[in-house]
Amino acid sequence: MIVVSDSWVQSLISAIAAVVAVVQPAAPLPPEGGQPPAQVRKAGDWVGSWATAVTEADKTGLSATGVANATLRQVTHLSVGGSSVRVRLSNRFGTRPLVVGRTTVVPRKTMPAATPNVEILQVLPITFRGKGAVTIPVGAEVMSDPLALPVAEDSDLVVSTYFPTATGPLTQHPAGYATAFSAYGEQTAGGGPQYRKVPGMARFVVSEVDVRGTARGALVLFGDSITDGAATPMDKNLRYPDQLADLLILRGVGALNAGIAGNRLLANAGNSGEAAIGRFERDVVRRTGVQGVVVLEGINDIRLTRGAISATQVIAAHRQLIARAHAAGLKAYGATLTPYWASPQYTVGGEIARQAVNHWIRTSGEYEGVVDFEAAVRDPKQPLRIMPGYDSGDHLHPNAAGFSAMARSFDLNLVG
């Protein structure tokens, strides 16, 4: 039972009032380095259907060691469908040029996600400027040529990539909550038996799948582990962005997950990603056909510093993201920070900061719309905590049912 004293409540109210008093609408912050912000791509009829945000390699494991003369097979779960596809590969955090010998794709509608099995007669190669092989410079990424291949909404596209020489550390997404597979040698057209599971749940190199079709645009879900899908079961696609994607399809809008577990607004965090204000252009603005972004960031800044990061600092960072979105012609939607009472690093000061940030998101009018995730998952009887039926057990991350409640709370009218 949570017991909150009247004095604590009065302190909370006073603190929120103080923050609101000093946090007034401000001029947009200039982009870092004095450079103009990146602009949204001219997408034409191309739209992002699936994406993941990439980070540097881990200290151990496959991302650290890389591979040589091996094929990696990975399953991407699409949101919107289309008549053609193209795939983005990333060497953003590599330490040497990344040599890709061959890449294939194959749609899969009914086979279980947790297997490498595909119909070999449906496997098709993709090219890069007309060639099957490509070398990606350090820090760069490449987009494949368009491939005429019908893919259904809410379906899987299996991507197999052959690396003929030693790769060195691989650009990755650590918490993919999806099984990757590896095989010795060039097995991009293999049916599946030659593959073995890669330990862990990371994704490697593949960072985006676009489709050409009738979708009106894409919405980026930008955040930390709650957006990334922490505590959801492997290979089930039950993160809140996955469940929201099923609803956005009804409006002809793709959903792109740009969450990274452990991500912060204001601090770089190794394999928890660059600071949100640093990665925003790559993970949001430069996605294909993006029309808007939902920002759910700040709880890690608050809790991991035990409240040393103030609400004013978090709000200033949110304003910078809003300014960058608007400069690129995107709509920005603010998501309220969900409860974290009784989780590690919980403090009263942090709770005051969280409440103040949420008050600003709800009342300032600086975002085009509010996505009230806190209201969706909090316990109405004890609102400082996540509802027990939605709690994954760590009092910070919602479970699959909680993610479902978050998805359902999104007002689809925000995207038209």
Side-chain angles (χ1 to χ4, degrees):
M1 178 71 177
I2 302 173
V3 178
V4 181
S5 67
D6 291 341
S7 61
W8 190 94
V9 172
Q10 187 58 51
S11 297
L12 176 61
I13 294 171
S14 299
I16 292 173
V19 170
V20 172
V22 300
V23 178
Q24 298 298 328
L29 295 175
E32 293 180 0
Q35 299 297 316
Q39 298 297 305
V40 63
R41 279 192 182 83
K42 300 297 184 182
D45 53 357
W46 285 98
V47 169
S49 182
W50 174 91
T52 194
V54 296
T55 77
E56 65 183 50
D58 293 329
K59 301 300 183 184
T60 60
L62 189 144
S63 67
T65 62
V67 296
N69 190 24
T71 304
L72 296 180
R73 175 163 287 180
Q74 301 174 84
V75 181
T76 64
H77 187 70
L78 306 182
S79 53
V80 291
S83 60
S84 300
V85 300
R86 63 187 188 187
V87 177
R88 187 184 304 278
L89 305 181
S90 178
N91 193 28
R92 170 66 180 83
F93 295 97
T95 59
R96 66 183 73 170
L98 183 65
V99 179
V100 178
R102 190 170 189 257
T103 302
T104 64
V105 295
V106 55
R108 191 171 70 176
K109 182 66 176 176
T110 58
M111 289 185 181
T115 76
N117 300 329
V118 298
E119 293 288 346
I120 59 175
L121 296 180
Q122 296 182 21
V123 175
L124 293 173
I126 58 175
T127 59
F128 301 85
R129 296 188 177 180
K131 298 180 179 180
V134 64
T135 298
I136 311 173
V138 172
E141 55 185 15
V142 296
M143 180 70 84
S144 75
D145 302 325
L147 174 67
L149 176 67
V151 290
E153 63 187 28
D154 194 27
S155 68
D156 290 340
L157 184 73
V158 180
V159 183
S160 304
T161 309
Y162 172 56
F163 302 97
T165 60
T167 62
L170 289 168
T171 296
Q172 64 155 352
H173 179 84
Y177 293 91
T179 305
F181 306 89
S182 66
Y184 179 75
E186 208 286 80
Q187 298 290 345
T188 57
Q194 57 273 80
Y195 283 89
R196 298 293 179 267
K197 289 184 178 182
V198 174
M201 57 179 175
R203 296 183 180 275
F204 311 97
V205 179
V206 180
S207 64
E208 184 176 343
V209 177
D210 297 343
V211 300
R212 174 182 281 163
T214 59
R216 298 189 296 109
L219 183 68
V220 176
L221 296 320
F222 187 73
D224 49 40
S225 57
I226 295 176
T227 300
D228 207 4
T232 53
M234 289 280 287
D235 301 306
K236 299 297 184 182
N237 301 312
L238 291 175
R239 313 162 190 83
Y240 107 70
D242 295 316
Q243 299 192 57
L244 178 57
D246 294 339
L247 302 176
L248 290 172
I249 286 171
L250 303 176
R251 299 297 177 98
V253 175
L256 306 178
N257 189 333
I260 303 177
N263 198 233
R264 303 192 202 183
L265 279 165
L266 298 167
N268 294 331
N271 65 0
S272 289
E274 296 167 300
I277 58 173
R279 70 183 181 93
F280 190 78
E281 273 75 20
R282 182 179 69 251
D283 290 339
V284 177
V285 173
R286 293 177 182 157
R287 295 301 187 188
T288 303
V290 60
Q291 64 180 29
V293 56
V294 175
V295 178
L296 177 58
E297 281 269 17
I299 195 63
N300 287 331
D301 298 81
I302 291 170
R303 72 181 188 88
L304 296 177
T305 63
R306 296 186 178 274
I309 295 292
S310 69
T312 302
Q313 290 170 290
V314 171
I315 290 167
H318 273 258
R319 280 180 164 153
Q320 188 169 153
L321 300 184
I322 294 170
R324 292 179 180 181
H326 289 171
L330 308 181
K331 292 184 177 180
Y333 309 108
T336 53
L337 305 180
T338 53
Y340 78 119
W341 184 87
S343 71
Q345 292 90 39
Y346 179 88
T347 62
V348 171
E351 180 63 33
I352 290 172
R354 184 183 74 88
Q355 295 280 358
V357 170
N358 284 352
H359 181 81
W360 172 81
I361 289 172
R362 291 185 179 111
T363 63
S364 69
E366 295 187 43
Y367 277 108
E368 270 83 2
V370 176
V371 184
D372 203 344
F373 286 150
E374 181 196 38
V377 301
R378 71 187 175 200
D379 187 341
K381 296 180 180 178
Q382 301 178 26
L384 294 186
R385 73 176 186 183
I386 297 175
M387 187 182 302
Y390 292 161
D391 192 338
S392 68
D394 65 5
H395 313 303
L396 173 66
H397 300 102
N399 56 22
F403 285 143
S404 178
M406 291 171 64
R408 294 194 309 272
S409 74
F410 185 88
D411 181 0
L412 294 179
N413 291 321
L414 292 176
V415 296

